[in-house]
Amino acid sequence: MKKALLVGINDYPGKQNDLMGCVNDVHNMQDLLVSLFGFPCENITMMTDRDATTENILEALETLVESAKQGDQIVFHFSGHGSQVSDKNGDEPDRCDEIICPYDLDWQSKVIRDDDLSRIFKSIKPGVHAEVFLDCCHSGTGLRGAGGKSANYMRRRFLSPPDELLPQSQEPGVMCLKAIRPAKIKVLWAACRSDQYAADALLDGRYGGAFTSYLCNCIRQAKGNINRNEVLKLIRKGIRKGGFIQVPQLETVSKFKKARILAA
């Protein structure tokens, strides 16, 4: 069985930092999964903007993971803002929790922390292949002003938390920098290094995440017959050529890096 949860959020009410390409990203991913990898449309949950609340995302992700059985393949794709807040349970050496930002983000109870992702993926059953794509960033804010012919159309996929929510050891506006690494994810793709921004950009007349756009394009060109290492190389090459400075990451064991994209 093949199942996916695709979340894209352009609209962040009251945050004054809306995005343009995240909803397009999830439609791009849906088309890729259906047309090249045999995911049934009815097994793909699409969640965008006002529907992508904290409760709805967590509930759908828990259902995706808990319902998967040995031999199943599950995909989680998030396209939107990322950020960091103070660690609440003392398990982070730098006193920061990474978060992906839901539509109803309030910086308190309505956030999705790396702890939440770890908790959910810890329950994954043996023999289930999970592949996660995070097209967001964890540092910086505002309009990006450097690099490439598309610079005027790029935003950073980051929201800056209120200063009072930062750890006391940090200066206001200075972010801890480390990647979200939920437990038991077999393959984790990240749009950039932990100290970089993930761009929301106008590419070939269509808004989208630079990472998601190049990812889908290179897989389509190979008609899905390409391993993960090659995908990573082509994404990085395309992003450099496009004038972006982010460096996408692939976190998994060696055997999965050499295997065909989305294969267990």
Side-chain angles (χ1 to χ4, degrees):
M1 185 74 71
K2 298 181 178 184
K3 299 179 181 179
L5 171 62
L6 312 179
V7 179
I9 308 172
N10 287 337
D11 184 19
Y12 285 87
K15 304 301 187 294
Q16 298 180 337
N17 200 5
D18 288 346
L19 297 168
M20 301 290 288
C22 301
V23 173
N24 286 341
D25 284 347
V26 298
H27 286 287
N28 201 0
M29 283 294 292
Q30 181 197 37
D31 177 76
L32 189 80
L33 294 175
V34 171
S35 63
L36 289 180
F37 297 101
F39 279 66
C41 287
E42 62 270 20
N43 288 356
I44 298 177
T45 299
M46 306 268 291
M47 197 174 291
T48 60
D49 287 338
R50 66 177 64 244
D51 291 329
T53 62
T54 305
E55 181 179 1
N56 287 348
I57 294 172
L58 289 175
E59 182 178 347
L61 189 55
E62 287 171 352
T63 299
L64 178 72
V65 171
E66 291 174 2
S67 65
K69 301 176 182 178
Q70 183 174 4
D72 286 355
Q73 182 178 3
I74 60 175
V75 169
F76 174 53
H77 176 267
F78 176 83
S79 180
H81 278 304
S83 191
Q84 293 173 313
V85 295
S86 293
D87 173 28
K88 282 192 172 183
N89 60 5
D91 67 341
E92 302 282 5
D94 61 5
R95 304 175 66 188
C96 293
D97 273 340
E98 283 70 49
I99 65 171
I100 56 175
C101 300
Y103 173 84
D104 59 344
L105 175 71
D106 68 358
W107 300 108
Q108 298 290 340
S109 61
K110 295 180 179 179
V111 298
I112 298 177
R113 297 173 179 260
D114 52 358
D115 294 330
D116 296 314
L117 298 179
S118 292
R119 171 183 57 81
I120 292 170
F121 279 97
K122 279 180 182 177
S123 67
I124 199 166
K125 298 178 182 68
V128 174
H129 178 73
E131 196 140 351
V132 173
F133 302 82
L134 299 179
D135 198 342
C136 56
C137 56
H138 309 109
S139 61
T141 187
L143 289 171
R144 175 178 176 180
K149 59 188 178 182
S150 300
N152 290 335
Y153 304 101
M154 292 191 289
R155 286 182 180 269
R156 294 168 178 169
R157 293 189 165 187
F158 171 83
L159 282 177
S160 181
D163 292 341
E164 62 270 19
L165 295 183
L166 292 172
Q168 292 183 359
S169 61
Q170 287 186 263
E171 299 177 10
V174 178
M175 305 308 299
C176 305
L177 301 173
K178 60 187 181 63
I180 296 176
R181 293 182 181 179
K184 285 197 174 183
I185 292 177
K186 292 188 177 180
V187 180
L188 176 61
W189 297 83
C192 57
R193 292 200 312 253
S194 60
D195 59 346
Q196 292 181 320
Y197 311 119
D200 190 70
L202 183 64
L203 298 166
D204 298 324
R206 178 182 174 88
Y207 282 101
F211 167 71
T212 299
S213 298
Y214 284 105
L215 169 81
C216 292
N217 286 347
C218 75
I219 295 172
R220 283 195 183 93
Q221 289 173 5
K223 298 182 180 179
N225 188 23
I226 184 171
N227 68 44
R228 293 184 182 90
N229 269 333
E230 288 300 316
V231 171
L232 183 64
K233 290 177 184 177
L234 289 173
I235 297 171
R236 288 178 171 177
K237 180 179 179 181
I239 281 178
R240 286 195 304 270
K241 187 175 179 180
F244 302 97
I245 59 174
Q246 68 194 73
V247 182
Q249 303 295 300
L250 171 61
E251 297 182 14
T252 188
V253 297
S254 179
K255 71 173 183 177
F256 287 127
K257 289 182 179 180
K258 297 175 182 178
R260 189 171 64 88
I261 181 73
L262 287 181

